[in-house]
Amino acid sequence: MAEAPGGDALSFLHRRLPRSFEVRVIGFAPAGVRAYNPVEWRDALVVVERGEIELECMHGSRLRFGRGAVLWLAGLSVRAIHNRGPGTALLVAVARRRS
């Protein structure tokens, strides 16, 4: 888990960021799945804010990441993103605002 100064997990929820950044919140219902679209994650730093997600890779392996994980999802060989947990998983993606 990535920790911010002071020992807290890194979080972008409810934070004010400079106008040069955009924040997207992506929710995954229990057993939800989202096809991976590389354009969607371009230039974005992603934090698992709640729950746990699983990346389904093109070659068949799966990687799980829980609350506090900081991810770079751009340019990966991923097929889909799953929520295998019983509750809603929440990702927050922060990227430079496109002009």
Side-chain angles (χ1 to χ4, degrees):
M1 178 180 312
E3 292 191 1
D8 295 329
L10 177 64
S11 174
F12 290 118
L13 276 180
H14 313 298
R15 285 187 122 173
R16 296 184 84 127
L17 295 176
R19 291 183 189 180
S20 57
F21 291 93
E22 62 184 7
V23 177
R24 290 183 302 118
V25 178
I26 302 104
F28 291 79
V33 62
R34 184 183 188 111
Y36 175 78
N37 178 353
V39 173
E40 183 176 31
W41 307 105
R42 184 179 60 209
D43 196 34
L45 186 63
V46 181
V47 176
V48 180
E49 295 280 355
R50 185 182 331 142
E52 182 177 88
I53 62 154
E54 182 178 81
L55 300 181
E56 177 187 349
C57 301
M58 291 293 204
H59 53 76
S61 66
R62 293 176 181 248
L63 304 166
R64 287 190 180 206
F65 300 92
R67 181 183 170 276
V70 179
L71 308 169
W72 181 260
L73 298 177
L76 298 180
S77 180
V78 172
R79 179 177 292 128
I81 303 170
H82 299 265
N83 175 7
R84 298 288 188 206
T88 300
L90 196 63
L91 300 182
V92 174
V94 176
R96 288 178 288 201
R97 193 172 298 281
R98 295 181 187 121
S99 50

